[in-house]
Amino acid sequence: MENYYQPDMECAPYEQMRALQGERLAENVRHAYTIPYYKDLLDRNGVNPNDIRSVEDLGKLPFITKDDLKIAYPYGLLGVPLSEAVRIQSTSGTTGRRVVAFYTQADLDLWDECCARAIMAAGGTKDDVVQVSYGYGLFTGGPGLNGGSHKVGSLTLPMSSGNTERQIQFMIDLHSTILCCTPSYAAYLAESIEEAGLMDKISLKAGIFGAEAWSDEMRRDIEAKLHIKAYNIYGLTEISGPGVSSECSEQTGMHINEDHFLAEIIDPETGRQLPYGERGELVLSCITKKAFPLIRYRTRDICVLTRDKCSCGRTLVKMSRLMGRTDDMLIIRGVNVFPSQIETVIINCGFEANYQIIVDRVNYYDTLDVHIEMTPEMFSDEVRSVEAKEKMVVDRLRSMLGLTAKVTLVAPKSITRSEGKAVRIIDRRKI
Ligand code: ADP
Ligand code: ZN
């Protein structure tokens, strides 16, 4: 089998990258056409796989969506004989629908290489101790970063999430230098280390955080608390897992491993391709993966792509921090609201990212309740000062969203902490 991994592609000139992408796309479209479900999809859309020769032809191909994955579950999109597949992973089911993805050994190796790039971009070397506190098992977070850390040659601590006391013990005893977990768990770990008075015993220098939405404000907060540099990492099970893209030291967006995943931004309403710099839905095409070769997969994730020169020397296209996902955008009284907007207001008002958004419908009228934990210092404040803080959040939310919310400050630690992805939105209208 061809070896698809070429480390120098991270800094390849644009033309060289485009040529390689074109070749790989053409090959993988022909490969996908061997899957009856895909053949039917292309035939229905009048696409002859032999007409796809370069990246410019991408727009001729139909999209594939999560609904297709549901219909084809479990084996309908398998691209190799079952005997060639060596692993499955499954989505965490944030939006209720499970997806199963397959990998050959070569697919797993490529995925590991992508995660290794993320660790190296965060300054990781074989001398580092990488504490992987993402969940292991069906969720892609743990296995992905675990494989990446092995490829780098770092000492890998396969902690999985949870058991916070043990996490901190190992972090201290084994001198972990790089922490990989969800940002909400990183914030929780930081809080717990602080409370135990152990911060001076921690040797962390970097964190690789992703799998859920987080704001730049939350990043600065975690960085200041843990005395680290925090890097964003993005991925999704359907396309492989974490490591589809990850940040470099510039921290101005995540470089997409576009020698393996072709990225486009489309208008989610019309499906039209949008130019660099415009915000829309990210569409990804796998051009090297064989067991689950999704092409033009609609991620539902909203972001912006840019191809500006990066000071790190990588030429890979960059995607911005996610601005939400089309399926977690809330429509409240007709207004589009992304939870990330609410988080930005909360952190700018001096709170931490411990909050819950509750949407309900009373007498045909949508209600928006935001519960925010006070910090321990605020907790001893007078009632009047608590009320003033609540009013400040209400005012700022109104000017950001054009909506009036009910804001309640709650006692420190009263919102359940998550060890995996945080549950921050409760939409009772759907229940
Ligand atoms: P799901 O959460 O849909 O059940 P996955 O576990 O595969 O499935 O998670 C993938 C999703 O997680 C992405 O589509 C994206 O919405 C979210 N995600 C992953 N990384 C990030 C990140 N760095 N920032 C924001 N959201 C992220
Ligand atoms: Zn860079």
Side-chain angles (χ1 to χ4, degrees):
M1 179 171 277
E2 186 188 342
N3 180 11
Y4 286 115
Y5 185 62
Q6 299 179 14
D8 49 341
M9 285 313 288
E10 274 187 284
C11 301
Y14 179 62
E15 296 69 33
Q16 189 188 337
M17 179 61 83
R18 293 286 279 190
L20 181 80
Q21 287 173 328
E23 269 169 43
R24 289 181 170 183
L25 173 68
E27 184 194 310
N28 231 23
V29 169
R30 286 196 299 272
H31 169 64
Y33 199 68
T34 62
I35 305 171
Y37 191 95
Y38 243 112
K39 179 176 185 310
D40 184 51
L41 181 70
L42 294 195
D43 288 350
R44 262 189 288 134
N45 285 277
V47 180
N48 178 344
N50 294 321
D51 290 344
I52 308 298
R53 296 194 198 92
S54 72
V55 180
E56 278 68 46
D57 298 322
L58 196 55
K60 296 178 185 162
L61 292 160
F63 297 116
I64 190 155
T65 67
K66 202 155 183 173
D67 287 337
D68 289 299
L69 304 199
K70 239 175 93 183
I71 297 165
Y73 174 89
Y75 293 127
L77 284 162
L78 181 64
V80 295
L82 202 52
S83 57
E84 296 285 309
V86 298
R87 170 94 67 81
I88 69 151
Q89 300 287 160
S90 178
T91 60
S92 45
T94 312
T95 51
R97 287 180 287 176
R98 269 198 186 283
V99 163
V100 176
F102 298 86
Y103 305 76
T104 63
Q105 185 57 50
D107 294 340
L108 287 178
D109 288 340
L110 286 177
W111 179 24
D112 289 350
E113 293 294 356
C114 290
C115 288
R117 282 183 179 174
I119 294 170
M120 288 189 285
T125 68
K126 62 190 279 298
D127 298 324
D128 278 290
V129 178
V130 177
Q131 179 155 350
V132 184
S133 309
Y134 282 110
Y136 278 64
L138 286 171
F139 176 52
T140 52
L145 270 308
N146 192 88
S149 174
H150 281 198
K151 286 266 183 221
V152 176
S154 310
L155 177 65
T156 311
L157 273 50
M159 301 298 299
S160 196
S161 60
N163 203 337
T164 302
E165 225 168 277
R166 189 175 64 190
Q167 299 271 1
I168 299 172
Q169 193 66 52
F170 273 80
M171 196 180 277
I172 294 171
D173 294 348
L174 292 153
H175 307 285
S176 305
T177 53
I178 299 181
L179 173 66
C180 307
C181 61
T182 56
S184 53
Y185 195 50
Y188 180 52
L189 276 170
E191 201 173 69
S192 308
I193 295 167
E194 183 75 62
E195 264 173 25
L198 294 169
M199 205 52 94
D200 59 340
K201 299 207 161 46
I202 301 294
S203 330
L204 290 177
K205 63 176 188 188
I208 303 178
F209 306 136
E212 66 183 12
W214 56 314
S215 59
D216 216 42
E217 290 78 6
M218 186 167 174
R219 183 215 305 263
R220 298 299 163 214
D221 202 40
I222 297 173
E223 288 190 329
K225 287 212 173 100
L226 287 174
H227 312 288
I228 58 169
K229 196 156 172 168
Y231 297 83
N232 201 356
I233 183 167
Y234 167 83
L236 61 170
T237 314
E238 300 91 307
I239 299 296
S240 69
V244 167
S245 67
S246 53
E247 271 184 332
C248 62
S249 54
E250 209 179 74
Q251 294 178 306
T252 52
M254 298 173 276
H255 287 290
I256 300 180
N257 286 311
E258 57 179 337
D259 43 346
H260 305 293
F261 314 109
L262 260 182
E264 303 166 78
I265 292 287
I266 60 158
D267 177 334
E269 306 285 323
T270 62
R272 192 171 56 89
Q273 273 182 352
L274 296 175
Y276 290 131
E278 278 192 38
R279 161 182 161 149
E281 179 179 347
L282 179 68
V283 172
L284 292 169
S285 298
C286 299
I287 53 176
T288 50
K289 266 177 63 188
K290 298 300 176 206
F292 207 61
L294 298 188
I295 291 163
R296 294 202 98 199
Y297 180 64
R298 291 188 61 157
T299 64
R300 306 166 316 283
D301 290 324
I302 308 285
C303 67
V304 171
L305 293 183
T306 47
R307 199 177 275 285
D308 301 334
K309 200 167 159 36
C310 188
S311 60
C312 76
R314 287 177 186 79
T315 48
L316 302 171
V317 69
K318 266 189 203 171
M319 61 184 267
S320 66
R321 180 177 287 289
L322 291 200
M323 292 151 172
R325 41 206 272 180
T326 52
D327 50 9
D328 81 4
M329 184 185 78
L330 297 160
I331 303 181
I332 303 172
R333 288 171 234 151
V335 178
N336 294 351
V337 176
F338 285 105
S340 57
Q341 296 174 295
I342 299 182
E343 179 174 307
T344 299
V345 169
I346 290 173
I347 296 187
N348 284 339
C349 288
F351 298 93
E352 292 179 5
N354 297 318
Y355 63 91
Q356 222 153 31
I357 299 167
I358 303 141
V359 187
D360 208 344
R361 186 164 286 159
V362 182
N363 295 333
Y364 306 108
Y365 188 75
D366 293 337
T367 57
L368 169 62
D369 275 76
V370 184
H371 291 180
I372 311 169
E373 265 186 23
M374 285 183 262
T375 59
E377 304 83 66
M378 291 175 191
F379 196 48
S380 47
D381 284 355
E382 291 172 24
V383 176
R384 212 157 14 106
S385 130
V386 170
E387 282 170 359
K389 286 204 178 71
E390 287 174 345
K391 184 170 178 311
M392 170 173 74
V393 183
V394 171
D395 290 344
R396 295 211 194 162
L397 283 176
R398 190 185 297 112
S399 69
M400 161 91 84
L401 309 171
L403 276 177
T404 306
K406 180 161 177 276
V407 173
T408 312
L409 298 190
V410 298
K413 302 247 161 190
S414 59
I415 295 178
T416 317
R417 298 290 188 274
S418 120
E419 292 166 348
K421 297 196 187 211
V423 181
R424 293 200 170 115
I425 306 155
I426 302 168
D427 192 344
R428 299 220 167 98
R429 299 171 303 180
K430 291 183 191 153
I431 299 169

